[in-house]
Amino acid sequence: MASLFAPLLAWAASLRRPREVAASPPCAPDGSVLYAIGDVHGERQLLDGLLNDIVEDARRHEGLSPVAVFLGDYVDRGPDSRGVIDRLLDDPLPGFTVRFLKGNHEEAMLGFIDNPAASMDWLRFGGAETLGSYGVRASVAVADAARCRILRDLLGTRLPDEHLDFLRRLENWVAYGDYAFVHAGIRPHRKLADQDPRDLLWIRNPFLESVARHEKVIVHGHTIVESPEICHNRIGIDTGAYATGRLTAAVLSGRSVRFLQSRG
């Protein structure tokens, strides 16, 4: 007889459970306008153009405090990684609060500096171009530990101390209002404070395919998209600057989301 009443009992219990309330759209902090800048990858000219656009856009937000978050991957693949870091160190957005996140390419570069024999793969996915921007010629096919140590030592004679300090001080994530900013993404169903730093720099499918509502809406780069993606739980803005000639920034103010784009 109990089985006959099971559907009725389940229905009655459902009436006592609170209904799920749809989440309201994410909101930037009151009094602020947020700018998130996607993966630059050595494209100094695109960066210069986008910074000019951001400064002009911020002038239209009189009375709001501008915050800029760079999402990482400043180096590799493009022609002028050194020039990009020079620009970022030279007060790129006067009057802004500026935060710089680490990307997986910065982690790989630091790995080569610290242990070139164990990190020679860096040369194949952009490191050779970065070395070239510092005046060190290298082939992507280098697979000899001794040669990698020679390249690292040559880089050490060309890499300014302030550049190395910049790379070592990069942050893994920051949060403002209802948004959290990371390079690659997060591990779903895990609090931001408990994330594995490697996931923040490298994760793809478990994050990209998740429909879970995260602790905050995640603004990220790392995975190239044809145009910026806005999902209920994330905003992706890596438009492949080195390959497409398009560098993108997200503009978050109140509950609005807009994009700026520099084109080469």
Side-chain angles (χ1 to χ4, degrees):
M1 291 291 293
S3 62
L4 296 176
F5 289 98
L8 180 62
L9 292 173
W11 174 77
S14 71
L15 294 179
R16 294 193 296 270
R17 288 196 297 266
R19 294 181 181 273
E20 183 177 350
V21 178
S24 59
C27 188
D30 289 342
S32 296
V33 54
L34 310 177
Y35 297 88
I37 296 91
D39 306 33
V40 181
H41 275 307
E43 293 291 343
R44 168 67 187 266
Q45 291 185 348
L46 290 178
L47 175 63
D48 286 341
L50 188 59
L51 293 177
N52 290 337
D53 291 344
I54 289 172
V55 169
E56 288 299 317
D57 189 84
R59 287 175 180 155
R60 304 187 187 103
H61 293 275
E62 187 176 355
L64 297 182
S65 299
V67 177
V69 181
F70 291 81
L71 299 181
D73 278 7
Y74 315 109
V75 301
D76 295 352
R77 293 183 169 156
D80 196 7
S81 293
R82 176 174 185 152
V84 166
I85 295 180
D86 278 336
R87 184 71 176 89
L88 296 178
L89 287 171
D90 187 27
D91 195 12
L93 292 166
F96 284 58
T97 297
V98 181
R99 310 289 291 270
F100 297 106
L101 303 188
K102 181 192 287 187
N104 60 307
H105 284 260
E106 284 77 49
E107 181 179 69
M109 182 178 178
L110 288 170
F112 186 84
I113 290 170
D114 294 336
N115 190 345
S119 302
M120 62 179 69
D121 281 351
W122 175 59
L123 298 174
R124 291 192 295 105
F125 67 95
E129 290 90 337
T130 295
L131 288 173
S133 76
Y134 286 96
V136 178
R137 294 182 61 185
S139 167
V140 297
V142 171
D144 177 74
R147 176 59 178 161
C148 286
R149 285 191 290 271
I150 290 171
L151 292 173
R152 186 273 311 275
D153 293 344
L154 286 171
L155 177 61
T157 66
R158 308 289 181 86
L159 184 70
D161 290 342
E162 58 267 28
H163 284 215
L164 182 58
D165 184 57
F166 171 82
L167 293 169
R168 294 202 186 280
R169 289 187 293 105
L170 297 171
E171 301 179 87
N172 284 327
W173 66 277
V174 297
Y176 288 93
D178 295 332
Y179 295 99
F181 303 81
V182 305
H183 174 64
I186 66 168
R187 182 70 56 177
H189 310 295
R190 186 178 296 175
K191 289 183 178 296
L192 282 164
D194 298 331
Q195 293 288 323
D196 183 338
R198 186 165 179 82
D199 282 335
L200 300 176
L201 300 180
W202 294 90
I203 200 168
R204 289 196 196 274
N205 286 348
F207 167 68
L208 298 173
E209 296 174 357
S210 174
V211 296
R213 289 197 179 277
H214 308 309
E215 188 177 342
K216 294 180 182 289
V217 172
I218 306 300
V219 183
H220 67 96
H222 186 58
T223 298
I224 294 177
V225 290
E226 180 66 23
S227 58
E229 288 186 340
I230 303 178
C231 305
H232 74 278
N233 58 359
R234 65 180 182 88
I235 299 173
I237 62 169
D238 179 8
T239 47
Y242 72 94
T244 67
R246 298 194 303 272
L247 178 62
T248 299
V251 186
L252 312 170
S253 178
R255 299 194 185 279
S256 75
V257 180
R258 296 185 292 109
F259 300 98
L260 301 174
Q261 199 165 80
S262 176
R263 292 174 177 261

